[in-house]
Amino acid sequence: MTAPITISRRSALQGAGALIVSFSLARAGFAQGASETPEGKAAPHLPGSLAVDPHLDAWIRIDADGSATVFTGKAELGQGIKTALIQVAAEELDLPPARITMITADTGRTANEGYTAGSHSMQDSGTAIRNAAAQVRELLIAEAGKRLNLPAGQLKAENGAVIAPDGGRLGYGDLVGALDLHVAAAEISTLRDPKSFKILGTPMRRVDIPAKVTGGAAYVQDMRLPGMLHARVVRPPSYGATLKQVDMAAVEAMPGVARVIRDGNFLAVVARREYQAIKAMRTLAAAAEWQEDAHLPQQGDLAAFIMGMPSKDYKILDQHGEAGAAVLSLEVTYTRPYMLHGSIGPSCAVAHSEDGAVTVCTHTQGVYPDRAAIAELLRLPPDRVRLIHVQGSGCYGHNGADDAAGDAALIASKMPGTPVRLQWMREQENAWEPFGPAMVTKARAALDASGRIVDWNYAVWSNTHLTRPGPAGTLLAGQHIAEPFPVPEPKPIPLPEGGGDRNAIPIYTLPNAEVMHHFLPDMPLRVSALRSLGAYMNVFSIESFMGELAAAANVDPVAFRLNHLDDPRARDVVTLAAERFGWDGRPKSQDGRGCGFAFARYKNLAAFCAIAMEIETERETGRIRVRRAVAAVDSGQIANPDGLRNQIEGGILQSASWTQYESVSFDTARITSIDWATYPILRFHAVPDSVEVHLIDRPGLPFLGAGEAAQGPAAAALANAVADATGQRMRDLPLTAAKLKAAIGV
Amino acid sequence: MTQLMVNGQTREVDADPDTPLLYVLRDDLELHAAKYGCGLGQCGSCTVIVDGEAALSCVTPLLLVEGRSITTLEGLGTAEDPGPMQQAFIEEQAAQCGYCIAGMMMRAQALLQKNPDASDAEIREALEPHLCRCGTHMRILKAVHRAAGLMRAASAAPAKGAA
Ligand code: FES
Ligand code: FES
């Protein structure tokens, strides 16, 4: 067995080999091709990301053997986007998926599609690839028509070839030689009729899974380049701490240590072996003396602190009309704590500086914006820096990925010629990643005698949900070096996407409604985008409140929602989730069991998602367990139904974890939730018996992002079920056992 | 030099005896399936099998495994010729980012080797030390049940052994 295993290891490492090739390509390719800034060629009238780069060959290239290489500026984050985009290209090109190679986010090769975030990938990149593929197919058909002297209308594309009426075939590889695909896309594409789809909409197996379940080189954490050294950083003990002194000599003498780096408050070690780097990191951390200067808020009184912070106020909805007389009104406050992304694999990057150019392999969500930050950090022109996305552990938003890329690039730039792999430690990830911000919401509504909402008033207090790169000051390394870069002013994300106010405007039909966004510029804790941003909290609040109002009106919660819902697609998902759950015949609330329902359209413009949940609670301990969840989802045209189900299932479980357990803890200066004991998340004992996801396909309608659609509805369905099960309305996240026990305990 | 049996082969490594097995596997033996998640024994992503028992390689120093038999995910099969546990995870598409999955599979493998008819409750209990942040739990459970079925079928058909 010796030989075969060795060989299979080698072949499994081909991923890393390919990256080595890319490293040299990086130098040859600097300042040309797709890495140039897209400004000069923007075409805003074109669909999806074709507006960023209209050239067909920026998206699709046909190789001489008739296979295709497809380029996306989006990154695979473990959500199956690579596979879904292959399906899109395969469908419109009429080419078997196995003959398509998908190149993902790489500043040296792909268009600048910004961030892979906000459930935008199918809308942006899927749309661009679909249109580009359709146009390439039509160009191939036209070329075949020229050769055969036949009108294009008599020819069809099938399985990688153009077929003539007499059955003659011209392969794409034969045709492409005469074609120039470096042409701007047309405004209108001849798209395939969804009724004839063969690949799109079918549950294709994900292309990245085999390597992941066999130990193949699947992650940036697994990259091993020749001559590569291992780095670790030593972070300050708290925000803003300054390094008074450190004795580096003892660390430099440790076995395997190649370099100890100090640049202001930035400290790092580089060693031959990974564990040597870890030991050196610990010794260096022990030797460092810091002056701490952080003043964090009182955790016990977070809501009052947040509402007392200076704010910039925006009225984001103000509508008034005829309505019945109010007979009843309710006013409540909801709160959420700071929350972790908490990737299972701490952030990692591999960087290499050579001939004045730096290449970084990173699991960032935005290779171009992170490149801008790193170029500024290293004081290099952007065209001397290349970022290549390589998968990491799931990120769920802006975690430590960009910072780790910055750390690795800075270290590598101080050691030209040596590839450097840097990984954060668990405690660094937990203490230094930008958290999902703590938030407070206040809701007030009035009902008329018929149980209709006649007045709605809602306010949300929140930090920004966006401190991503851009500028070098967004990176920890940029803040910690001797000549630091300024941290940019936080800004709210404008609606309709929104940040803290994402989904703050209810989708329900309301005669009178006012919604305020209190934007809080001061950030005592480092914060940024966590999956679904403010939507998690706003949907939790609005949908909990809908449950409270339905109870006050004595109307069934599903009927209450339908009474206020006009959008037919919204009504369809609500009805389907209720039906499949068996809502009308659901078990009565008894013995600590109960059911809850919630619904939202993500961002009010992406996927529709309704969730019904049955839970059980334990009186003695206050413990909650979801027994079953049933979701219904409409995300427009479905690319990969199994991939979509996987996303929604995952969203429900992740949101159940956020909602039941999670809260960043801190004392007056330091973050104290630095591992999985101090920041507990969902474990198997609390995993539901079943989770069902029902999909409504809308062939021919636009792709709607669904990757974040379940987060808010799952949280509110859970809280509504707790209220049903125990009679206790819990409004202060997380809904921990301790809180529930205090409310109902014996 | 420390001698180990890794995936059926004798391997010699030259690392400090206090080095956690995780780094020996990844850096010395280029077996990358076991992952660093916490280094604290709290997440399970580094799990391998040592003498038939699931073990957290991040808190197992090299010195404790000298001469013992270690199985990593690479020892269960390849992408071209996956073993039953791997086959089951592919068929159930039981991964999102997949970072936790190698550890889960090794824990499940150790369980099923000892208890081929493990119940759902036993599988959940065995996986309790493991965290998955993507929320892939439902599929992981389905995949382990499927793996148990594939293993039983393979041992019933004597032509081809499963483990
Ligand atoms: S890495 Fe070993 S248990 Fe987390
Ligand atoms: S699949 Fe991502 S952590 Fe489990």
Side-chain angles (χ1 to χ4, degrees):
Chain A
M1 276 301 278
T2 309
I5 285 185
T6 312
I7 289 166
S8 83
R9 270 315 306 165
R10 293 246 164 82
S11 54
L13 278 168
Q14 265 174 5
L19 286 161
I20 299 168
V21 175
S22 304
F23 271 43
S24 46
L25 277 179
R27 288 193 299 280
F30 272 125
Q32 68 175 31
S35 63
E36 72 192 43
T37 51
E39 274 84 73
K41 47 190 177 178
H45 51 286
L46 290 174
S49 294
L50 278 176
V52 178
D53 191 336
H55 293 111
L56 293 180
D57 67 349
W59 302 96
I60 312 271
R61 290 180 203 166
I62 304 289
D63 305 321
D65 66 355
S67 61
T69 308
V70 179
F71 299 84
T72 174
K74 301 290 182 180
E76 174 63 68
L77 304 177
Q79 298 179 296
I81 195 66
K82 192 171 176 177
T83 308
L85 293 175
I86 288 175
Q87 288 181 275
V88 169
E91 185 65 58
E92 290 293 347
L93 284 173
D94 212 318
L95 193 64
R99 302 193 63 195
I100 294 177
T101 305
M102 179 69 63
I103 306 295
T104 58
D106 174 347
T107 61
R109 302 178 83 182
T110 66
N112 181 355
E113 291 196 79
Y115 290 104
T116 304
S119 305
H120 266 279
S121 298
M122 289 307 291
Q123 276 154 284
D124 298 351
S125 211
T127 304
I129 289 171
R130 184 166 180 214
N131 282 274
Q135 295 190 24
V136 168
R137 182 225 316 131
E138 292 305 304
L139 290 173
L140 290 162
I141 291 176
E143 175 62 23
K146 253 196 267 170
R147 294 217 195 151
L148 300 171
N149 213 358
L150 284 169
Q154 294 189 20
L155 301 169
K156 61 176 183 179
E158 197 180 283
N159 211 10
V162 178
I163 314 289
D166 64 1
R169 302 168 60 90
L170 280 169
Y172 290 172
D174 302 330
L175 292 166
V176 77
L179 276 185
D180 180 11
L181 295 181
H182 192 66
V183 294
E187 276 179 50
I188 307 289
S189 319
T190 312
L191 297 174
R192 279 272 156 93
D193 180 352
K195 285 195 214 68
S196 67
F197 281 171
K198 290 180 280 193
I199 300 157
L200 208 52
T202 65
M204 177 172 153
R205 282 186 180 176
R206 269 173 48 186
V207 294
D208 55 329
I209 286 184
K212 289 177 174 177
V213 301
T214 54
Y219 304 93
V220 67
Q221 281 90 347
D222 302 335
M223 285 180 65
R224 295 293 183 276
L225 302 182
M228 186 185 86
L229 299 182
H230 291 274
R232 285 294 182 280
V233 285
V234 170
R235 289 274 179 242
S238 53
Y239 297 129
T242 45
L243 185 57
K244 287 202 300 191
Q245 58 176 23
V246 60
D247 173 16
M248 313 209 309
V251 182
E252 276 159 354
M254 289 178 72
V257 171
R259 272 291 285 275
V260 181
I261 292 167
R262 177 182 179 179
D263 185 343
N265 298 313
F266 182 89
L267 279 177
V269 294
V270 184
R272 253 189 16 255
R273 290 164 174 272
E274 189 165 11
Y275 194 59
Q276 290 171 332
I278 292 170
K279 287 206 269 190
M281 171 202 75
R282 288 184 187 139
T283 307
L284 186 62
E289 274 182 58
W290 300 88
Q291 172 79 45
E292 293 189 60
D293 190 33
H295 301 282
L296 302 184
Q298 285 291 328
Q299 189 164 18
D301 204 12
L302 203 51
F305 177 83
I306 287 170
M307 291 170 77
M309 283 207 280
S311 67
K312 288 186 194 166
D313 303 331
Y314 303 88
K315 186 165 259 184
I316 56 173
L317 182 70
D318 192 8
Q319 67 189 25
H320 298 281
E322 295 281 300
V327 296
L328 187 92
S329 81
L330 270 182
E331 176 167 357
V332 295
T333 303
Y334 303 94
T335 54
R336 73 163 256 197
Y338 293 96
M339 286 160 40
L340 278 188
H341 299 80
S343 297
I344 294 299
S347 295
C348 180
V350 177
H352 191 194
S353 166
E354 212 173 15
D355 305 335
V358 175
T359 304
V360 188
C361 293
T362 160
H363 52 106
T364 176
Q365 287 181 280
V367 286
Y368 279 92
D370 203 23
R371 178 179 75 161
I374 288 173
E376 190 187 350
L377 172 73
L378 304 180
R379 300 170 216 269
L380 285 174
D383 66 5
R384 305 306 292 165
V385 179
R386 177 180 182 185
L387 262 68
I388 302 170
H389 182 269
V390 181
Q391 280 197 66
S393 185
C395 64
Y396 330 108
H398 178 194
N399 68 347
D402 299 299
D403 296 306
D407 293 343
L410 182 63
I411 296 165
S413 75
K414 295 178 191 287
M415 307 181 71
T418 303
V420 173
R421 175 189 180 277
L422 167 94
Q423 187 164 18
W424 282 10
M425 305 302 288
R426 167 54 50 202
E427 60 274 18
Q428 295 172 335
E429 188 81 22
N430 281 27
W432 285 95
E433 66 147 90
F435 308 130
M439 293 168 69
V440 177
T441 61
K442 237 179 191 340
R444 191 179 72 223
L447 298 167
D448 68 11
S450 71
R452 287 195 78 90
I453 301 168
V454 291
D455 193 19
W456 178 277
N457 198 294
Y458 182 88
V460 51
W461 285 258
S462 178
N463 275 152
T464 184
H465 288 249
L466 184 76
T467 63
R468 293 182 191 269
T474 57
L475 300 175
L476 290 176
Q479 298 168 10
H480 291 166
I481 53 174
E483 286 179 60
F485 292 89
V487 180
E489 285 284 301
K491 284 198 207 77
I493 305 170
L495 288 166
E497 302 262 325
D501 54 350
R502 180 169 291 181
N503 276 89
I505 295 177
I507 192 174
Y508 298 106
T509 306
L510 303 168
N512 295 290
E514 290 183 25
V515 178
M516 283 293 293
H517 177 201
H518 302 288
F519 176 76
L520 312 173
D522 296 348
M523 296 175 287
L525 277 73
R526 187 176 192 232
V527 296
S528 194
L530 172 64
R531 193 176 188 186
S532 84
L533 313 193
Y536 167 71
M537 177 59 177
N538 288 316
V539 172
F540 167 75
S541 305
I542 291 173
E543 288 297 295
S544 290
F545 197 46
M546 288 298 281
E548 299 198 50
L549 290 169
N554 208 6
V555 177
D556 173 82
V558 171
F560 186 75
R561 285 176 173 80
L562 289 171
N563 290 345
H564 293 89
L565 214 42
D566 290 334
D567 184 322
R569 291 173 73 178
R571 295 182 64 88
D572 284 355
V573 294
V574 167
T575 309
L576 182 64
E579 252 173 43
R580 295 300 167 93
F581 182 78
W583 183 259
D584 289 337
R586 70 189 179 280
K588 274 216 188 55
S589 132
Q590 60 181 12
D591 302 333
R593 290 202 190 174
C595 297
F597 195 92
F599 156 78
R601 180 176 195 191
Y602 185 50
K603 298 191 255 189
N604 290 338
L605 51 75
F608 301 81
C609 177
I611 297 176
M613 234 180 229
E614 182 186 342
I615 63 146
E616 64 195 15
T617 57
E618 219 175 63
R619 226 186 154 71
E620 296 70 31
T621 59
R623 253 158 70 157
I624 302 166
R625 189 177 78 94
V626 177
R627 292 171 58 86
R628 64 190 182 105
V630 175
V633 180
D634 170 356
S635 69
Q637 166 79 54
I638 297 171
N640 186 340
D642 190 61
L644 177 55
R645 269 194 204 99
N646 202 350
Q647 281 305 294
I648 299 294
E649 281 170 24
I652 291 172
L653 280 263
Q654 187 179 62
S655 179
S657 178
W658 290 358
T659 305
Q660 289 183 70
Y661 308 109
E662 299 188 24
S663 170
V664 170
S665 62
F666 41 90
D667 59 24
T668 51
R670 297 181 179 186
I671 304 300
T672 53
S673 45
I674 52 168
D675 61 12
W676 297 122
T678 46
Y679 190 92
I681 65 172
L682 180 83
R683 286 192 183 269
F684 270 92
H685 71 261
V687 165
D689 298 337
S690 77
V691 175
E692 279 173 35
V693 180
H694 301 282
L695 306 178
I696 300 178
D697 193 12
R698 303 281 184 191
L701 289 189
F703 302 122
L704 297 178
E708 301 161 292
Q711 309 306 112
L718 212 159
N720 287 333
V722 171
D724 185 50
T726 65
Q728 289 297 322
R729 174 55 63 174
M730 297 178 75
R731 303 188 185 95
D732 177 31
L733 290 166
L735 315 183
T736 58
K739 285 185 205 164
L740 185 60
K741 182 172 148 73
I744 61 162
V746 280
Chain B
M1 282 287 180
T2 310
Q3 251 196 20
L4 308 170
M5 277 289 273
V6 181
N7 297 333
Q9 298 175 70
T10 306
R11 305 290 297 259
E12 302 230 312
V13 291
D14 180 16
D16 289 345
D18 67 337
T19 307
L21 175 60
L22 175 65
Y23 299 105
V24 173
L25 293 172
R26 292 178 60 83
D27 299 335
D28 296 272
L29 303 178
E30 293 193 1
L31 297 167
H32 294 130
K35 297 282 186 279
Y36 169 75
C38 66
L40 302 163
Q42 295 175 341
C43 75
S45 62
C46 62
T47 304
V48 298
I49 298 177
V50 178
D51 286 346
E53 299 284 344
L56 300 170
S57 68
C58 74
V59 288
T60 306
L62 177 59
L63 118 133
L64 285 188
V65 291
E66 171 147 31
R68 297 173 72 178
S69 164
I70 296 156
T71 309
T72 70
L73 183 61
E74 289 92 340
L76 301 190
T78 61
E80 298 72 35
D81 186 17
M85 184 61 68
Q86 295 164 325
Q87 186 62 38
F89 272 71
I90 293 171
E91 285 171 4
E92 290 293 342
Q93 293 285 284
Q96 288 184 64
C97 79
Y99 198 89
C100 69
I101 294 293
M104 299 266 187
M105 293 169 78
M106 296 316 288
R107 176 79 57 178
Q109 180 78 19
L111 171 71
L112 296 182
Q113 280 174 5
K114 273 199 271 185
N115 180 4
D117 301 310
S119 67
D120 189 58
E122 286 167 328
I123 293 170
R124 286 173 187 246
E125 199 187 317
L127 291 175
E128 183 69 7
H130 291 254
L131 296 176
C132 172
R133 190 56 167 160
C134 297
T136 314
H137 305 75
M138 304 311 298
R139 287 178 183 230
I140 292 167
L141 291 171
K142 279 189 203 140
V144 176
H145 281 289
R146 184 184 282 261
L150 291 175
M151 288 178 187
R152 279 193 296 265
S155 55
K160 220 185 158 198

